Amino acid sequence: RKPEFMGKIIFLENYDMILAKKLVSGCDVWLNTPTRPLEASGTSGEKAVMNGVLNFSVLDGWWAEGYKEGAGWAIEEEPTYPDHRLQDELDAATLYYVIEDQIAPAFYLRNPNGIPVEWTQMMKDNFYKISPHFTMERQLNDYYGKFYHKLENRTDLLKANNLEKAYQISKWKNKLIAAWGNIEVVQVSYPGNIDETTFLGSNICFEVKINLGNIKPEDVKMELLVTDQENDKNKLQVKEAFRFTGMDGNISVFRCEVKVKYVGSWSLGIRMIPHHPLLPHDMDLKLVKWI
């Protein structure tokens, strides 16, 4: 109701299938510009695709996976600026550029029969490349197969035999939380030229000697992480597991041998995290020891 928005923004209440039908049938481009990464899903865009409407959206939600070049348009997923105001200005400039430079010419450029050839081809690609892969049936199957069914099985496992596994994992977690702070790194060994030049095809062997205290070697997992710099962020390229090779008195020995497969300048890190077959994922316990 503010004067600056009057006649420019319409809020449609009670969005349902009847209203959606009117919107989709009266639309040429389904424009969706959420603030990344806050798009929940984008099922309205899926509905539009099935009715021949071309999508133009930020690569977020379903469009991050659904977008295919030549079957719609996209604004990059990664933000350029941390400042939302600057990012909005850039997105707006990109939006108008794509409409003027790509969308409008494709829509208005027609052959002698009045057919927008490029536009109709994009609609065909829209049906062919996108529609078959994005339906609510597929979405529900993904949710159930990847998440709900696994959670259902885990719940059944933890509840069996009067919560036997639940008590077991709880006791184990309490033990690791109490003992984690007493872990002591004794020695880290690696080739002397690791900070210099290492050639493709050569092997690099790392060895870590560590005093785990009251923690058993099988209760931890040690990993070598290899990253490089991309847009001022560390991007994980390689993750290799260490092997527990035995005890040296009360010291646990872990080794990892890696063959150099990629060129470039890399950053290396070694971390140790809790490990148990009942943990749903590696970061469940939120304990990490950087070596």
Side-chain angles (χ1 to χ4, degrees):
R1 294 177 180 176
K2 291 183 178 181
E4 61 266 35
F5 297 131
M6 291 296 290
K8 298 179 180 178
I9 295 177
I10 301 173
F11 180 69
L12 300 175
E13 299 181 1
N14 302 321
Y15 182 72
D16 58 12
M17 293 295 289
I18 297 174
L19 182 56
K21 181 178 180 181
K22 294 181 181 297
L23 289 174
V24 170
S25 63
C27 181
D28 295 305
V29 178
W30 199 263
L31 179 64
N32 186 34
T33 53
T35 300
R36 55 176 87 69
L38 303 179
E39 173 67 5
S41 176
T43 50
S44 294
E46 295 178 14
K47 188 194 296 91
V49 160
M50 294 177 191
N51 287 276
V53 179
L54 300 178
N55 271 256
F56 179 23
S57 176
V58 173
L59 290 175
D60 193 11
W62 85 282
W63 196 232
E65 181 185 355
Y67 168 68
K68 297 291 183 293
E69 188 174 355
W73 301 271
I75 297 176
E76 291 296 325
E77 180 179 13
E78 286 294 326
T80 304
Y81 301 109
D83 186 310
H84 290 303
R85 183 181 59 81
L86 292 176
Q87 187 62 49
D88 287 345
E89 290 181 6
L90 176 61
D91 288 346
T94 303
L95 175 79
Y96 289 122
Y97 169 77
V98 172
I99 291 175
E100 182 179 5
D101 190 66
Q102 300 177 34
I103 297 178
F107 185 81
Y108 288 108
L109 185 61
R110 312 203 169 206
N111 67 11
N113 295 321
I115 304 298
V117 178
E118 182 181 353
W119 193 273
T120 52
Q121 183 58 53
M122 292 185 73
M123 291 176 67
K124 293 176 182 178
D125 289 342
N126 184 44
F127 285 129
Y128 171 69
K129 296 179 179 180
I130 303 177
S131 293
H133 310 292
F134 293 93
T135 64
M136 283 306 298
E137 179 184 20
R138 181 223 153 165
Q139 182 175 320
L140 291 173
N141 287 337
D142 281 356
Y143 282 162
Y144 182 74
K146 295 180 179 180
F147 306 108
Y148 298 154
H149 187 54
K150 292 180 180 179
L151 289 173
E152 181 183 25
N153 289 339
R154 178 169 173 78
T155 300
D156 291 341
L157 174 68
L158 295 177
K159 289 169 63 177
N161 298 323
N162 197 27
L163 301 173
E164 176 186 3
K165 297 294 185 182
Y167 286 120
Q168 179 182 335
I169 189 66
S170 177
K171 182 178 179 181
W172 178 85
K173 283 185 175 182
N174 289 332
K175 173 187 172 182
L176 253 71
I177 291 172
W180 197 259
N182 296 324
I183 295 173
E184 179 185 2
V185 178
V186 177
Q187 185 180 19
V188 180
S189 303
Y190 52 84
N193 67 341
I194 193 68
D195 292 327
E196 301 171 8
T197 302
T198 304
F199 294 98
L200 283 174
S202 59
N203 291 328
I204 305 175
C205 185
F206 297 84
E207 182 181 85
V208 176
K209 294 184 177 181
I210 191 166
N211 186 349
L212 294 174
N214 295 329
I215 299 176
K216 298 177 181 179
E218 60 265 28
D219 288 337
V220 298
K221 179 163 61 175
M222 193 174 296
E223 298 170 325
L224 173 70
L225 305 179
V226 182
T227 66
D228 66 349
Q229 288 285 324
E230 183 176 290
N231 297 326
D232 297 325
K233 295 180 180 179
N234 285 324
K235 183 178 180 181
L236 180 64
Q237 296 289 355
V238 179
K239 181 169 69 173
E240 292 286 344
F242 277 72
R243 293 181 296 107
F244 171 65
T245 58
M247 301 293 296
D248 183 4
N250 64 340
I251 305 301
S252 301
V253 182
F254 294 84
R255 288 195 179 94
C256 176
E257 187 169 308
V258 182
K259 177 171 286 189
V260 179
K261 299 179 181 178
Y262 307 100
V263 298
S265 179
W266 307 92
S267 297
L268 306 178
I270 300 173
R271 74 177 180 190
M272 188 175 68
I273 56 179
H275 174 71
H276 193 283
L278 288 177
L279 288 178
H281 54 81
D282 285 345
M283 296 294 112
D284 182 68
L285 200 49
K286 300 181 181 179
L287 294 175
V288 180
K289 177 74 174 180
W290 289 97
I291 309 300

